[in-house]
Amino acid sequence: RSREAGMDRAAVTRLGVVVGAGLCAVIGGAVLAQYIFTMKKKAGRKTKIIEMMPEFQKKTVNIKNPERVEEIICGLIKGGSTKLQVITDFDMTLSKFLHNGKRCSTCHNVIDNCKLITEDCRKKLQQIRNMYYPIEVDPTISTEEKYPFMVEWWTKAHNLLIEQGIRKEKLAAVVRESDVTLRDGYELFFDKLNERNIPVFIFSAGIGDVLEEVITQVGVFHSNVKVVSNFMDFDEKVSW
């Protein structure tokens, strides 16, 4: 802890670059919190945490209420790792939206685009998506109105996938050959949370079997991680 107490501003900033605001509570603990809250004068005022973290300074980040964001981060730090749990989405949250300028796959896309799917099935899945996706993202339609259309979407899509006879033992290869990519710094993120035994709950509307295979292959499916998602029900009698 004496080493942590001696961390300078650059070190704190680097932590923010890699793991984000939530992990300040994990890595720095009470000593880091005490350091950050020390009255450091900058233009006659106290330095804010969000001003020390590059993520918040990006042009793509808009904060409606900076004071509220600052309050939340301070609460995480003050509470410490023993009072912290992480609840997160997976697609486009833990995984990347783009990598090297190319759109990355979601859990569903991993299956839709794999070699085990026939071209005819792929075309039908795309047609269904073109029909229902505009409804999903339409801001003028309420959640209640969208619900039956979303049920229709996944029912039709899942029925098509069932017809493909995908076997469970093929999933590892399907994921390995896909372009799904986790965000930079994911290893430190998962490893530090596991080191402190902090629960990580991944809630995903994607395919849980694919999700778990992704984090297994990159070595971060630790014992503190729990996945809540849609899991496939495999028929062991299928011989395709």
Side-chain angles (χ1 to χ4, degrees):
R1 287 192 176 275
S2 59
R3 178 174 57 85
E4 292 172 341
M7 295 175 70
D8 59 13
R9 177 173 175 174
V12 176
T13 302
R14 286 195 295 273
L15 291 175
V17 171
V18 181
V19 294
L23 285 190
C24 285
V26 182
I27 301 175
V31 176
L32 177 56
Q34 182 63 43
Y35 170 80
I36 292 177
F37 292 126
T38 298
M39 295 298 290
K40 293 187 66 178
K41 298 298 180 180
K42 180 182 180 182
R45 61 183 174 80
K46 182 179 179 181
T47 301
K48 292 183 178 180
I49 297 172
I50 61 174
E51 295 173 346
M52 300 170 64
M53 303 184 70
E55 287 84 357
F56 293 111
Q57 312 309 317
K58 294 179 179 179
K59 294 181 180 180
T60 54
V61 176
N62 294 301
I63 304 176
K64 181 179 180 180
N65 190 339
E67 289 73 22
R68 178 55 181 156
V69 174
E70 182 82 7
E71 180 183 336
I72 291 172
I73 297 175
C74 289
L76 289 171
I77 295 173
K78 287 181 178 179
S81 60
T82 58
K83 295 183 179 180
L84 179 66
Q85 63 179 352
V86 175
I87 301 174
T88 178
D89 182 32
F90 184 77
D91 291 321
M92 314 304 173
T93 302
L94 291 176
S95 67
K96 289 185 176 182
F97 180 80
L98 290 173
H99 183 63
N100 293 331
K102 181 183 177 183
R103 177 75 181 266
C104 295
S105 292
T106 63
C107 290
H108 275 102
N109 293 150
V110 169
I111 297 295
D112 295 350
N113 298 328
C114 76
K115 297 176 181 178
L116 302 179
I117 301 298
T118 65
E119 192 58 34
D120 180 61
C121 178
R122 206 183 324 277
K123 289 180 179 179
K124 289 179 179 178
L125 288 169
Q126 186 60 48
Q127 290 172 353
I128 293 172
R129 185 184 189 281
N130 292 342
M131 179 188 302
Y132 290 105
Y133 183 70
I135 299 175
E136 180 186 15
V137 298
D138 191 333
T140 67
I141 304 176
S142 69
T143 301
E144 292 72 20
E145 292 173 309
K146 291 180 180 181
Y147 181 80
F149 293 105
M150 298 302 100
V151 173
E152 286 180 15
W153 183 2
W154 65 254
T155 299
K156 292 178 180 179
H158 287 181
N159 285 339
L160 282 171
L161 291 176
I162 289 172
E163 293 175 2
Q164 300 302 295
I166 300 172
R167 296 187 61 83
K168 188 174 184 178
E169 60 267 24
K170 299 289 186 179
L171 276 182
V174 167
V175 169
R176 196 157 35 243
E177 295 168 0
S178 75
D179 60 359
V180 62
T181 307
L182 295 187
R183 290 187 180 275
D184 298 338
Y186 73 86
E187 290 177 304
L188 181 59
F189 176 80
F190 279 100
D191 290 347
K192 283 295 181 181
L193 291 171
N194 181 55
E195 179 183 308
R196 299 298 179 91
N197 198 32
I198 294 171
V200 179
F201 298 96
I202 304 176
F203 286 82
S204 173
I207 301 176
D209 308 82
V210 173
L211 193 167
E212 289 190 347
E213 185 62 36
V214 171
I215 59 178
T216 294
Q217 289 190 11
V218 296
V220 295
F221 194 2
H222 302 308
S223 60
N224 65 318
V225 177
K226 174 68 176 178
V227 176
V228 180
S229 186
N230 306 295
F231 285 87
M232 296 180 179
D233 186 10
F234 291 93
D235 185 349
E236 299 301 329
K237 297 180 181 179
V238 173
S239 57
W240 295 10

